[in-house]
Amino acid sequence: MEIKVLGTGCARCKALEQNVMNALAEMGVAANVEKVTDLNKITDYGVMMTPGLVVNNKLKVFGRVPDKEEIKKWIQEEISQ
């Protein structure tokens, strides 16, 4: 599983990364988590407002920090496919 946290390193971006790590730990799922800070790469995903979350190359959310339960739901959806 590939997960990308899109953001320049602001507090909200760090909160999203922490929520992702907590969700993965609770689920016992192994994933490659990458922080993408390059603005050109972030906009390539169509993200105009950070933070953003990409799971298996699918943009799940941007512009807000989803809670851990919402992130777990997206991870489970990707596992099920």
Side-chain angles (χ1 to χ4, degrees):
M1 176 161 302
E2 297 284 326
I3 297 177
K4 295 180 182 176
V5 177
L6 312 177
T8 56
C10 66
R12 292 178 351 143
C13 301
K14 291 176 184 174
L16 174 56
E17 182 182 15
Q18 189 60 56
N19 285 355
V20 167
M21 300 309 268
N22 290 342
L24 289 168
E26 284 185 17
M27 296 176 77
V29 173
N32 179 27
V33 179
E34 178 185 352
K35 291 185 346 187
V36 178
T37 58
D38 182 305
L39 285 175
N40 290 325
K41 289 181 182 176
I42 291 170
T43 57
D44 285 347
Y45 285 100
V47 171
M48 297 298 151
M49 194 162 151
T50 60
L53 181 65
V54 176
V55 180
N56 287 346
N57 288 320
K58 296 175 192 151
L59 180 64
K60 297 297 185 178
V61 68
F62 68 91
R64 67 180 180 88
V65 179
D67 65 26
K68 184 176 54 178
E69 294 306 314
E70 197 169 9
I71 294 168
K72 286 165 76 170
K73 181 184 74 145
W74 292 323
I75 292 169
Q76 189 58 52
E77 286 171 1
E78 290 303 313
I79 290 171
S80 299
Q81 290 184 357

